[in-house]
């Protein structure tokens, strides 16, 4: 090995070391670097926002539509009062810390030495042309800055609506550095293990909680449905897309949950969009939502807002905050309270007993999204309401086929008249193609197997309880998880991505990195999820990897 090759190799090791990553991902260091490197763009962005504010004062224009879920506390009932903003420093901007102030940093291209084609870039970001420690560390630092600022791209306006797309460099740069964690195509996925780019990995990133995607009965049901009905109904439920198979599953889901009726949708996301927009269709309607609700709930509320409905967010899983919020609505308004049963990023179970009490007190209605609860908690895997013995007290329960039911589609159960109204008034249901026959058949078979093989839920609980106990023993911060979703809190975008990379590259362990804007600032996690079909060998290998990587990056 030549001297040049040795220097390049040492540079790669240094750039990817835990010490370097801890420094470049340190909040104070990054704020200082961002301020110094991007002072000119920050000042220009501040000027643009000042002009925008003046325009709003003069003309009453609406503020940019920034997802409220990205702001951990803004506009939330029961949240602590916002602290007064500290004085803004002069040019140089070392003290500027909000995400939105880094408007332009994501549009900068990386240095030429860091723009090598992805196939010519080493795992640590040093190009095949021998870029050294400075380039690798600078590229990582720039990537961190772009990751922190990319939410502001949505605010870019102008004549060309594609402008923001051309300025979005974060994903390209991350791909070139070999640290892009999303949209990775699997070769195949057999449950506890999968194959990624020809390599077997232990899968801790799937929602296949009961391991039914490979169950012989589920696969046979899908094959038989294709043979009998074909691959698609090629139409919406309203016209030619309904079949007896849909109705049969709807009846089974209703009976399983002890409700009057059921309704099958094409996706779980569609359940919330259709239900919320159909029920909250005028100015006297209020969507009362937990601030940590799933994105599909927020999107459903946005559609309702277009018809005049209001959105009120209450402090996460806090019945007292919900009580306060409901106390403030007008006598002429009706409220639909919407909460996740199990929160998808935290693994936390909603405080449903307190929520139900408050909902009844104010004569509101309640919708629970049980996407991550079905098959996981409650007697027979019936979900959150059953877990607390409140099945009859919850008006509507919805969810997806894409987790415990091992398919694609969505479901809703409740009163027949309410579901009949939704299917006649929800445009996103009326004009969407119906769930395909093999998907419906697979979900129905999975529902049957879930009841025939209760050992799966028991084994799932054993697995996630073991992992939660052992990860806590190692010193990881896990929040309030009580289910098969176990988040490992990292609270930093770059460090989260680098730990994900190390787990995958060095230990063949597949987990999901959740970074901003998918989660609020300081809520970045490595989300892990567990299956009934994980064996103890899979879990122990994962624990060994977590311990080593956690120590390498200073998390434990």
């Amino acid at each position: 090995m030549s001297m040049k090759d040795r220097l390049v190799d040492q540079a790669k090791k240094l750039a990817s070391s835990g010490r370097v990553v801890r420094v470049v991902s340190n909040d104070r260091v990054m704020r200082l670097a961002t301020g110094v490197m991007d002072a000119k763009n920050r000042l220009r962005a501040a000027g643009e926002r000042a002009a925008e504010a003046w325009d709003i004062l003069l003309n009453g224009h609406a503020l940019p539509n920034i997802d409220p879920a990205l702001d951990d506390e803004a506009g939330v009932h029961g949240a602590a009062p916002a602290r007064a903003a500290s004085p803004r420093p002069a040019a140089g901007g070392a003290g500027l810390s909000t995400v939105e102030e880094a408007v332009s940093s994501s549009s900068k291209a990386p240095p030429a030495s860091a723009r090598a084609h992805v196939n010519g870039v080493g795992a640590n970001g040093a190009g095949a042309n021998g870029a050294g420690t400075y380039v690798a560390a600078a590229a990582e630092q720039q990537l961190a800055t772009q990751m922190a600022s990319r939410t502001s791209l949505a605010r870019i306006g102008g004549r060309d609506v594609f402008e923001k797309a051309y300025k979005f460099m974060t994903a390209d740069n991350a791909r070139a550095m070999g640290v892009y964690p999303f949209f990775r195509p699997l070769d195949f996925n057999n449950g506890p293990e999968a194959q990624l780019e020809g390599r077997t990995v232990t899968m801790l990133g799937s929602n296949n909680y009961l391991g039914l995607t490979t169950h012989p009965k589920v696969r046979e049901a899908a094959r038989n449905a294709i043979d009998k009905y074909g691959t698609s109904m090629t139409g919406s439920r309203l016209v030619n897309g309904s079949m007896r198979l849909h109705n049969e599953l709807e009846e089974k889901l209703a009976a399983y949950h002890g409700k009057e009726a059921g309704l099958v949708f094409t996706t779980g996301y569609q359940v919330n969009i259709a239900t919320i927009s159909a029920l909250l269709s005028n100015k006297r309607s209020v969507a009362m939502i937990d601030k940590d609700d799933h994105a599909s709930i927020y999107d459903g509320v946005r559609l309702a807002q277009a018809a005049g409905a209001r959105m009120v967010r209450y402090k996460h899983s806090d019945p007292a905050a919900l009580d306060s919020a409901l106390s403030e609505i007008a006598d002429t308004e009706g409220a639909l309270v919407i909460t996740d049963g199990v929160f998808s990023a935290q693994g936390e179970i909603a405080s449903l007993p307190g929520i139900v009490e408050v909902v009844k007190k104010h004569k509101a209605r309640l919708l629970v999204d049980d996407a991550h609860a079905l098959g996981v908690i409650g007697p027979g895997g019936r979900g959150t309401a059953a877990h607390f013995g409140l099945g009859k007290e919850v008006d509507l329960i919805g969810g997806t086929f894409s987790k415990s039911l091992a398919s694609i589609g969505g479901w809703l159960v409740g009163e027949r008249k309410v579901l009949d109204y939704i299917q006649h008034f929800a445009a996103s249901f009326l004009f969407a193609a119906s769930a395909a026959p093999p998907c419906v058949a697979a979900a129905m078979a999975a529902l049957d197997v879930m009841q025939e093989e209760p050992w799966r839920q028991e084994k799932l609980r054993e697995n996630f309880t073991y992992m939660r106990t052992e990860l806590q023993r190692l010193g990881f911060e896990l929040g309030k998880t009580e289910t098969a979703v176990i988040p490992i809190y990292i609270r930093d975008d770059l460090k989260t991505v680098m730990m994900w990379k190390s787990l995958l590259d060095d230990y063949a362990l597949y987990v999901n990195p959740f970074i901003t804007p998918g989660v609020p600032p300081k809520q970045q996690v490595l989300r892990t999820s567990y299956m009934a079909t994980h064996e103890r060998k899979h879990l122990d290998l994962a624990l060994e990897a977590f311990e080593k990587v956690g120590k390498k990056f200073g998390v434990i």
Side-chain angles (χ1 to χ4, degrees), residues 224-241:
N224 290 342
I226 290 176
D227 291 341
K228 183 174 182 179
Y229 301 103
T231 56
S232 172
M233 297 303 293
T234 65
S236 71
R237 292 289 303 271
L238 177 67
V239 285
N240 67 298

Side-chain angles (χ1 to χ4, degrees), residues 27-39 42 85-99 101-102:
D27 285 344
R28 294 179 179 177
V29 173
M30 289 310 305
R31 284 200 296 267
L32 177 61
T34 299
V36 171
M37 294 171 62
D38 202 34
R42 287 171 179 269
S86 56
R88 296 181 184 273
L96 299 178
S97 59
T98 61
V99 170
E101 288 174 299

Side-chain angles (χ1 to χ4, degrees), residues 257-530:
H257 286 282
K259 294 294 187 183
E260 186 180 5
L263 191 59
V264 166
F265 294 75
T266 311
T267 69
Y269 208 97
Q270 183 194 34
V271 172
N272 286 328
I273 291 177
T275 302
I276 296 168
S277 62
L279 294 176
L280 304 179
S281 57
N282 55 61
K283 294 180 179 180
R284 296 184 299 279
S285 304
V286 181
M288 197 72 62
I289 67 175
D290 187 296
K291 77 176 187 66
D292 286 356
D293 275 346
H294 190 264
S296 59
I297 293 174
Y298 273 94
D299 276 354
V301 172
R302 287 190 182 98
L303 278 179
Q305 287 176 308
R310 291 197 297 123
M311 177 182 71
V312 177
R313 300 192 304 153
Y314 63 90
K315 187 177 179 182
H316 173 56
S317 204
D318 188 334
L322 174 61
D323 188 20
S324 173
L326 284 170
S327 297
E328 296 182 10
I329 70 171
D331 292 339
T332 56
E333 292 181 312
L336 177 64
V337 177
I338 312 160
T339 182
D340 287 4
V342 170
F343 290 88
S344 60
Q346 300 102 318
E348 180 183 353
I349 302 174
S351 301
L352 200 59
I355 291 172
V356 166
E357 182 180 352
V358 171
V359 167
K360 297 298 181 184
K361 171 184 173 181
H362 292 278
K363 297 181 172 57
R365 295 294 185 174
L366 177 60
L367 165 62
V368 174
D369 181 344
D370 255 357
H372 290 271
L374 184 74
V376 178
I377 62 173
R382 286 176 173 81
T384 312
H387 174 75
F388 290 108
L390 296 170
K392 294 182 179 179
E393 307 302 320
V394 177
D395 298 298
L396 295 169
I397 304 172
T400 179
F401 297 167
S402 63
K403 296 171 177 57
S404 291
L405 294 182
S407 185
I408 290 291
W411 56 272
L412 182 71
V413 294
E415 292 183 56
R416 185 193 69 81
K417 286 294 291 181
V418 177
L419 269 57
D420 194 38
Y421 178 88
I422 291 169
Q423 74 174 357
H424 282 91
F425 284 85
S428 51
F429 179 83
L430 284 168
F431 304 111
S434 64
C439 297
V440 177
M444 186 151 51
L447 183 64
D448 291 340
V449 171
M450 188 163 65
Q451 297 170 81
E452 294 165 359
E453 300 180 5
W455 67 264
R456 289 179 179 273
Q457 188 184 354
E458 295 166 7
K459 181 62 176 177
L460 174 63
R461 176 171 291 277
E462 176 187 318
N463 283 346
F464 70 68
T465 300
Y466 174 72
M467 287 301 292
R468 183 179 65 225
T469 300
E470 292 302 304
L471 287 168
Q472 288 173 332
R473 180 185 61 79
L474 290 173
F476 287 103
E477 180 188 358
L478 307 181
K480 299 179 180 179
T481 179
E482 306 170 72
T483 64
V485 173
I486 300 182
I488 299 174
Y489 283 85
I490 311 301
R491 303 193 184 281
D492 177 271
D493 279 333
L494 181 61
K495 190 179 293 185
T496 301
V497 171
M498 296 305 290
M499 287 183 67
W500 159 83
K501 177 176 171 57
S502 181
L503 288 166
L504 184 60
D505 289 353
D506 301 333
Y507 301 97
L509 185 63
Y510 192 108
V511 301
N512 293 317
F514 278 26
I515 59 177
T516 57
V519 295
K522 293 298 179 185
Q523 298 298 312
Q524 298 91 334
V525 299
L526 292 172
R527 194 188 80 160
T528 67
S529 49
Y530 300 90

